[in-house]
Amino acid sequence: MERIQIKIAKVNILIESDSKIEPIRQDENYYRIVFKNFVFKDNNKIKPHIRLKLILAKKLPRFKKMIKLYEARHPIDNKIIWKAYKKDRGFVLEEHVRRYPFNRREHIVFLNKDYSYAKAYLLSRSSNPKKARWELGDIIYGFLKIILVNYLAKNNGIFLHSAGIEVDKKGILFSGQSGAGKSTLTRF
């Protein structure tokens, strides 16, 4: 069992997988910079707020459709990206991103009611079980955002896409879309 812990917004997340963990893509320095403050070695002394079990599958499991809570569509082509369902003991998330061959993600995630445990089935990119792997970017930029938003909402928190600085022991946040210049503002 491979394990990795990450910390986002003071939430400790333990990710467990029987498949190889690729915390950062070797060919992209971007991931090294973005994730260096989030990833740390598994430490059994730190109790996770969220435990995430990842299963790489050749085929996604079928599940009985339940009450649909919402679906999210891409703003440009209006294709469905996300669907969320309520079930008696939790929730189910479906993610289908097929816009580009290099950015194809398909996941089904089963969550308990308080979002502290998730079992995620990820469609493997390799038909060879020995080469099966997943990348941390796929998880963080995929369903983990939705799990975190809901976990924080249930625990009086908020998830905000921003960059921040501290001035005179007070925090200032710059929020905005990707590429808007939030990080650039923090360097002035």
Side-chain angles (χ1 to χ4, degrees), residues 44-169:
N44 290 328
K45 295 176 186 170
I46 298 173
K47 185 178 179 211
H49 299 100
I50 299 172
R51 179 177 238 102
L52 178 58
K53 170 76 174 152
L54 296 181
I55 299 163
L56 282 178
K58 290 180 184 175
K59 204 172 180 182
L60 293 177
R62 294 181 158 277
F63 65 96
K64 183 180 167 190
K65 299 289 184 204
M66 295 148 246
I67 300 167
K68 189 190 301 185
L69 297 174
Y70 68 85
E71 65 183 29
R73 294 178 176 270
H74 192 274
I76 296 172
D77 60 18
N78 203 33
K79 289 185 179 175
I80 295 173
I81 299 171
W82 282 104
K83 290 183 188 175
Y85 302 92
K86 183 173 179 10
K87 64 178 195 159
D88 31 322
R89 285 180 264 146
F91 306 93
V92 178
L93 299 173
E94 276 186 289
E95 180 186 27
H96 300 281
V97 177
R98 299 182 184 142
R99 290 188 9 235
Y100 310 105
F102 61 86
N103 192 23
R104 183 184 175 123
R105 292 192 309 260
E106 293 190 63
H107 309 136
I108 291 183
V109 184
F110 298 92
L111 298 141
N112 65 353
K113 282 187 178 182
D114 67 358
Y115 293 90
S116 64
Y117 179 77
K119 190 174 197 177
Y121 292 86
L122 290 68
L123 204 56
S124 177
R125 294 180 179 170
S126 174
S127 57
N128 181 346
K130 291 182 180 180
K131 292 185 179 181
R133 62 178 175 72
W134 57 270
E135 295 172 355
L136 190 55
D138 291 341
I139 308 307
I140 289 179
Y141 292 119
F143 58 83
L144 188 56
K145 277 198 271 187
I146 292 180
I147 294 171
L148 265 173
V149 165
N150 286 286
Y151 179 86
L152 289 168
K154 287 191 171 285
N155 292 283
N156 299 317
I158 187 169
F159 195 78
L160 183 65
H161 185 91
S162 63
I165 59 172
E166 181 183 330
V167 177
D168 298 329
K169 297 188 180 185

Side-chain angles (χ1 to χ4, degrees), residues 11-24:
V11 177
N12 294 316
I13 303 157
L14 174 63
I15 302 173
E16 300 173 308
S17 176
D18 290 332
S19 301
K20 185 167 175 53
I21 295 172
E22 298 278 344
I24 50 179

